[in-house]
Amino acid sequence: QVQLVESGGGLVQAGGSLRVSCTASGRAFSMYVMGWFRQAPGKEREFVAAIRWRSGSTYYADSVKGRFTISRDKDKNTVYLQMNSLKPQDTAVYYCAAAPRDIGDYYFTSFYDYWGQGTQVTVSS
């Protein structure tokens, strides 16, 4: 089992920055891909970014490319999502996810076995 705990959400003005974190515990060493998803009220959960734990390769949704950066700290079993130039449409609950596999479609929620509880990010206009 793997437990994921997010932190760092909050309220920020448009154009501002925020960093959310996700710390994994349990069998965290068995994870191959970590991802961030978000879900706004009345909408489906959508892919934001992913990182391959060993290589550090990163992937982004077009809507956040150039503004968000995903990174990881292997020693702390923590993945970060640095969000810059935030827009009101970035407002959502942000979820961390972990997958014990390296092959598949990382932008689908079904690729991931473990999920955090989510952290609210609100961007005011």
Side-chain angles (χ1 to χ4, degrees):
Q1 283 290 342
V2 175
Q3 294 79 41
L4 303 174
V5 178
E6 299 105 332
S7 61
L11 173 64
V12 64
Q13 288 188 332
S17 299
L18 204 61
R19 189 179 79 162
V20 291
S21 304
C22 172
T23 299
S25 60
R27 294 178 61 85
F29 60 88
S30 63
M31 297 300 105
Y32 281 85
V33 178
M34 301 287 289
W36 284 98
F37 286 73
R38 65 187 182 187
Q39 188 167 17
K43 295 188 176 182
E44 292 187 354
R45 193 169 297 189
E46 65 173 3
F47 171 76
V48 175
I51 186 167
R52 295 190 184 278
W53 193 255
R54 295 182 180 181
S55 69
S57 297
T58 58
Y59 311 89
Y60 297 94
D62 288 342
S63 59
V64 306
K65 203 171 293 183
R67 299 189 298 123
F68 290 12
T69 302
I70 188 172
S71 62
R72 90 276 196 237
D73 185 327
K74 288 184 174 181
D75 292 335
K76 295 182 179 180
N77 279 342
T78 299
V79 62
Y80 304 97
L81 185 67
Q82 176 67 43
M83 302 180 287
N84 299 329
S85 302
L86 282 161
K87 306 174 182 179
Q89 51 263 47
D90 294 318
T91 295
V93 177
Y94 282 70
Y95 295 92
C96 173
R101 61 186 61 82
D102 200 30
I103 297 175
D105 295 325
Y106 53 82
Y107 40 85
F108 288 137
T109 57
S110 56
F111 178 76
Y112 300 87
D113 287 11
Y114 305 100
W115 293 85
Q117 80 287 355
T119 185
Q120 177 70 46
V121 171
T122 302
V123 184
S124 63
S125 57

